[in-house]
Amino acid sequence: MSISERLDKMDYGPAPEDASDALAWLVDQGDRFGHFIDGAFTAPTDGFQSRNPANGNVLANLSQATQSDVDSAVSAARKAQGKWAKLGGAGRARYLYAIARLVQKHARLFAVLETLDNGKPIRESRDIDIPLVHRHFYYHAGMAQLMDDELPDREPLGVCGQIIPWNFPLLMLSWKIAPALAMGNTVVLKPAEYTSLTALLFADICRQAGLPKGVVNIVTGDGAVGEMIVNSDVDKIAFTGSTEVGRKIREATAGSGKALTLELGGKSPYIVFDDADLDSAIEGLVDAIWFNQGQVCCAGSRLLVQESVSERFYTKLRARMDGLRIGDPLDKCIDVGAIVDPVQLEQITRMVSANTEGHMHQAKCAIPEGGCFYPPTLITGLSPSATLMQEEIFGPVLCATTFRTPAEAVQLANNTRYGLAATVWTENVNLALDIAPQLVAGVVWVNATNLFDAAAPFGGVRESGFGREGGWEGLSAYTKPKAKRKALAQIEPFTGNDAGSDPIDRTAKLYIGGKQARPDGGYSQGVYTKQGAKLGDVSLANRKDIRNAVEAAQAAKSWSKTTGHLRAQILYYLAENLSARTDEFAKRIDAMTGKRTGKSEVEQSLNTLFTYAAWADKWDGYARGVPIKGIALAMNEPVGVIGALCRDETPLLGLVQTMGASMAMGNRCVLVASEPYPLAATDFIQVLETSDVPAGVVNILTGNHTDLAPHLAAHNDMDAIWSFSSSPVSKVIEAKSTGNLKRTWVNNAQSNTPAPRDFLSAASETKTIWVPYGE
């Protein structure tokens, strides 16, 4: 072929990466691996094979962990944890820094091994995954160095069980291990069955760094091994994977006291407005959906294009798709590599074949024979309810529809049970910053996509899970307050005799939607002093009353859009009106509890209202220092509707704490009053009625905590459940919350006194908005 012919054709020639060093490393290990436990590799046992998905070649034989292996790993981690924590942040920082340096030194070995094992293009492993891995260890080395000064009231959780997926094997490992170690925890990690090799190479790096034995333990195997870790004696479970498995883990850990973070599935919208730079949006879309063959939890798999430019955009997109190169992942000129395993390939093929809607276009590129390859696919004209628009495909398949107005774009984007990420393309900065806060997603990229950094929180809402990885938010998930807890005894109400009661009816009603309401069930019960004198009756709420209260809270969504200043003014007003009735509330509390603490509790309640009023316009987000030309804004948003079982022992303060934090952050709440001492809450209804609190923002129920807890937790229009009750309801709340994977904050039958910052953190959700700038 002549030079002129080559210039006309402009084909990329092959540029294969040399895999000999990675293959030699496997040979040096005997192509057989045991587990990494207590600082050493165990003897290999028969288990399963790791294969190259591009050609089916066996790379290594891995061991299937047994219960004994998991127990040994947890025991080693437990033994090492105390010394590792006592080493101090500065001491731990040295080890994390050493790991970061070693990963950097062996970057090409890690990149090649990752591509061999996972099937992603070498350019992605080399230029994205591995740099982010050592970035996470460098960043968290700094966090460890700062911990003693910046987090003096926090301490490590203990032993963390970590389970990671196959799409970003080493990167997910760094997201989990780096913050855990920085805060003084030890770990037992299970990599995905398909992609364990870079985790084992990382174990070798830990030995080279001189990491103390037992600090990092890695066991390999299938999902049964993950189940063993979940049920083992660990203090936290961190899981990244499917929503289905996340639900099972939530159920399995319910009532155990184990901390839990879940980063689950997604069906992320990619919104293109008519004023967007269409060519740039298309290049971004290539990264959004065909990066890592679409096997990305936050892949922009739902394309929403403004109708006026949709045909032009689709035409350009199809042309760009036809220019994509699919083939050997080790070829540096390849855009799309191999699907991780035949099982996943079959799943993608089956889902696409079952679709009967729209028009499908598959890239006109050569598909290699053998191996697990699937062509980049675009399906346009789908209805919002189509299966492919709602269900996660986890493959290189883009589903598209159109919209006409920004409001419709938001409605379509939020029409999913997931809430992990979203992308907005527009040249109008006002439009971008108007749309981003409206999207129900933990991460929003503006005129960019798939940007990640250790300093920027990443995580989802709804059925995409809860918790954040990265930044200070990620660290908090690996720490706990230093305050010691004690077992919480259930407080029983006083009993008495109704004889001689005041003939005037004194039955306190429920407070729903800004009005006092009779209970649906028509039942009430007496409240008595310690001496048995009757103070009055309270209504007994049931699940229908919960339904009505949640509906009222959902109808008060405008509260979440109010300013912090306005919310502060109303909280101050509540405090003023409560202050005017100090003596009345103090006497009521003394009468109910049989103590002389009423005056002090009212004063604490007033101080609490003033505290949350003060925080209402100060619990700010901030810009994160990320290594791009742009900023990552970590913005605090309301959680939504919060249900809470209030503290029993302090009937007014317990109500005010939960209500104040909820209101300050813009949430609406359904509060179940102290079970033994409910009249302080029902008296407080009159304060609410005279303090300009909008209807539905605060709803108050009274009744049996054990009876109401499962219905409150199971309600799918509830976004979070808190429990400070003395009744043993933590397990049922966590178990019943799996329907929509709502956030939970429970006391596990232990006394605790959370600080205002703990309440504010629980009452807010971090949304990270990435905004690149410049030409």
Side-chain angles (χ1 to χ4, degrees), residues 69-213:
D69 294 323
V70 171
D71 292 344
S72 296
V74 173
S75 177
R78 183 68 65 190
K79 182 179 178 181
Q81 195 273 320
K83 291 182 179 179
W84 178 246
K86 289 180 181 177
L87 189 61
R92 296 192 298 273
R94 303 297 176 88
Y95 287 103
L96 288 167
Y97 177 78
I99 290 172
R101 291 289 286 167
L102 285 166
V103 171
Q104 205 167 21
K105 288 178 181 179
H106 299 286
R108 189 56 64 95
L109 174 60
F110 271 111
V112 174
L113 191 60
E114 192 83 316
T115 288
L116 285 171
D117 202 21
N118 171 272
K120 65 176 61 184
I122 185 63
R123 289 188 296 115
E124 295 178 7
S125 298
R126 180 195 66 196
D127 299 340
I128 299 174
D129 289 30
I130 307 307
L132 279 172
V133 169
H134 54 72
R135 160 68 175 158
H136 269 77
F137 281 99
Y138 277 126
Y139 178 85
H140 286 96
M143 286 296 201
Q145 184 76 29
L146 298 174
M147 181 183 179
D148 295 339
D149 292 331
E150 296 298 318
L151 300 170
D153 298 325
R154 309 289 292 186
E155 63 183 5
L157 292 168
V159 177
C160 301
Q162 302 177 325
I163 304 166
I164 59 175
W166 43 258
N167 54 341
F168 292 93
L170 191 64
L171 181 56
M172 293 293 102
L173 176 149
S174 70
W175 282 20
K176 297 286 190 292
I177 288 183
L181 266 55
M183 296 295 99
N185 304 279
T186 53
V187 303
V188 177
L189 179 137
K190 189 197 88 69
E193 181 182 4
Y194 297 150
T195 53
S196 300
L197 296 183
T198 48
L200 296 169
L201 175 56
F202 177 81
D204 199 28
I205 291 294
C206 290
R207 289 197 305 186
Q208 294 179 42
L211 193 70
K213 294 179 179 180

Side-chain angles (χ1 to χ4, degrees), residues 46 64 74 109 238 258 297 303 309 319 514 560 570 583 586 639-640 703:
D46 291 336
Q64 171 75 14
V74 173
L109 174 60
K258 295 173 184 175
C297 53
L303 172 61
V309 296
S560 297
I570 292 178
D583 292 341
V639 171

Side-chain angles (χ1 to χ4, degrees), residues 226-533:
E227 187 175 353
M228 294 174 195
I229 293 174
V230 169
N231 293 322
S232 66
D233 180 28
V234 296
D235 302 294
K236 174 184 170 65
I237 293 294
F239 173 75
T240 297
S242 71
T243 298
E244 178 185 3
V245 175
R247 279 200 178 90
K248 293 178 181 178
I249 292 174
R250 169 74 285 179
E251 291 175 353
T253 59
S256 66
K258 295 173 184 175
L260 177 65
T261 50
L262 299 173
E263 197 262 281
L264 308 176
K267 194 68 178 173
S268 302
Y270 190 99
I271 308 170
V272 180
F273 287 96
D274 58 6
D275 67 339
D277 180 337
L278 298 188
D279 291 327
S280 295
I282 285 171
E283 289 306 307
L285 188 54
V286 170
D287 289 336
I289 184 58
W290 294 305
F291 171 59
N292 197 20
Q293 298 71 252
Q295 299 168 128
V296 184
C297 53
C298 55
S301 55
R302 284 191 300 142
L303 172 61
L304 310 177
V305 187
Q306 197 149 19
E307 192 175 278
S308 57
V309 296
S310 60
E311 288 307 316
R312 184 154 57 101
F313 188 85
Y314 290 154
T315 300
K316 286 175 172 284
L317 178 57
R318 292 185 186 107
R320 181 67 179 89
M321 288 172 63
D322 292 341
L324 293 173
R325 298 174 296 277
I326 183 169
D328 180 5
L330 284 173
D331 187 340
K332 291 185 281 289
C333 292
I334 288 302
D335 297 307
V336 181
I339 302 300
V340 70
D341 188 84
V343 172
Q344 181 64 18
L345 177 62
E346 193 278 331
Q347 166 76 1
I348 297 167
T349 303
R350 184 176 66 251
M351 290 186 70
V352 174
S353 298
N355 176 63
T356 58
E357 285 190 37
H359 177 267
M360 183 170 71
H361 176 82
Q362 293 188 315
K364 297 175 182 177
C365 51
I367 305 298
E369 294 184 6
C372 301
F373 295 94
Y374 194 88
T377 300
L378 167 67
I379 305 175
T380 58
L382 290 172
S383 63
S385 61
T387 299
L388 295 187
M389 288 290 282
Q390 293 293 327
E391 299 299 326
E392 191 174 29
I393 304 170
F394 227 64
V397 181
L398 177 63
C399 305
T401 191
T402 61
F403 65 89
R404 292 183 179 180
T405 66
E408 186 183 5
V410 170
Q411 187 177 38
L412 289 170
N414 293 339
N415 181 29
T416 172
R417 67 180 191 273
Y418 298 109
L420 187 54
T423 302
V424 177
W425 281 85
T426 174
E427 292 297 289
N428 185 338
V429 66
N430 293 327
L431 177 61
L433 297 181
D434 176 55
I435 295 296
Q438 298 182 60
L439 298 175
V440 182
V443 180
V444 178
W445 295 292
V446 176
N447 293 339
T449 195
N450 280 343
L451 298 177
F452 308 100
D453 187 70
F458 180 88
V461 295
R462 291 180 172 172
E463 293 187 30
S464 290
F466 46 79
R468 293 291 180 268
E469 304 202 59
W472 292 101
E473 292 82 357
L475 284 180
S476 68
Y478 286 97
T479 65
K480 62 182 179 181
K482 285 184 177 179
K484 293 183 179 180
R485 295 185 170 194
K486 297 180 180 179
L488 184 64
Q490 186 169 354
I491 300 174
E492 298 293 341
F494 297 125
T495 58
N497 192 323
D498 292 357
S501 296
D502 191 328
I504 298 177
D505 179 38
R506 299 185 184 278
T507 303
K509 298 182 178 66
L510 311 176
Y511 185 63
I512 297 174
K515 300 177 181 179
Q516 296 190 45
R518 298 184 188 277
D520 174 82
Y523 286 97
S524 62
Q525 71 178 21
V527 180
Y528 303 90
T529 67
K530 188 176 183 179
Q531 293 75 27

Side-chain angles (χ1 to χ4, degrees), residues 483-713:
K484 293 183 179 180
R485 295 185 170 194
K486 297 180 180 179
L488 184 64
Q490 186 169 354
I491 300 174
E492 298 293 341
F494 297 125
T495 58
N497 192 323
D498 292 357
S501 296
D502 191 328
I504 298 177
D505 179 38
R506 299 185 184 278
T507 303
K509 298 182 178 66
L510 311 176
Y511 185 63
I512 297 174
K515 300 177 181 179
Q516 296 190 45
R518 298 184 188 277
D520 174 82
Y523 286 97
S524 62
Q525 71 178 21
V527 180
Y528 303 90
T529 67
K530 188 176 183 179
Q531 293 75 27
K534 189 170 186 178
L535 292 170
D537 291 287
V538 290
S539 300
L540 293 180
N542 63 18
R543 63 183 181 85
K544 291 185 178 179
D545 296 311
I546 290 175
R547 177 201 63 191
N548 295 338
V550 174
E551 288 178 355
Q554 287 289 353
K557 289 182 178 179
S558 59
W559 176 253
S560 297
K561 299 178 182 179
T562 57
T563 65
H565 174 71
L566 175 63
R567 297 195 293 271
Q569 295 299 300
I570 292 178
L571 286 167
Y572 284 131
Y573 196 14
L574 279 166
E576 291 174 17
N577 288 334
L578 175 61
S579 177
R581 300 173 63 177
T582 296
D583 292 341
E584 174 190 340
F585 273 89
K587 290 178 181 178
R588 176 72 94 177
I589 292 169
D590 288 345
M592 284 190 299
T593 62
K595 301 176 182 178
R596 295 179 177 272
T597 58
K599 187 70 176 290
S600 173
E601 185 174 334
V602 176
E603 288 299 324
Q604 290 180 66
S605 299
L606 289 170
N607 185 59
T608 297
L609 286 170
F610 271 86
T611 296
Y612 289 125
W615 273 117
D617 57 359
K618 299 175 186 66
W619 190 251
D620 298 325
Y622 48 94
R624 305 299 169 98
V626 292
I628 66 165
K629 189 177 181 181
I631 54 175
L633 302 173
M635 310 298 293
N636 287 323
E637 294 187 333
V639 171
V641 178
I642 297 174
L645 300 174
C646 296
R647 194 181 303 274
D648 284 327
E649 61 271 30
T650 51
L652 179 62
L653 180 60
L655 179 89
V656 165
Q657 284 175 322
T658 52
M659 182 203 72
S662 173
M663 290 180 64
M665 295 297 97
N667 300 284
R668 297 89 70 199
C669 55
V670 177
L671 308 177
V672 182
S674 165
E675 183 177 340
Y677 315 130
L679 293 179
T682 56
D683 290 349
F684 193 76
I685 290 171
Q686 296 175 5
V687 177
L688 291 168
E689 290 176 326
T690 58
S691 301
D692 294 339
V693 178
V697 171
V698 178
N699 303 273
I700 296 176
L701 307 179
T702 51
N704 184 285
H705 287 188
T706 302
D707 291 343
L708 295 176
H711 301 299
L712 200 66

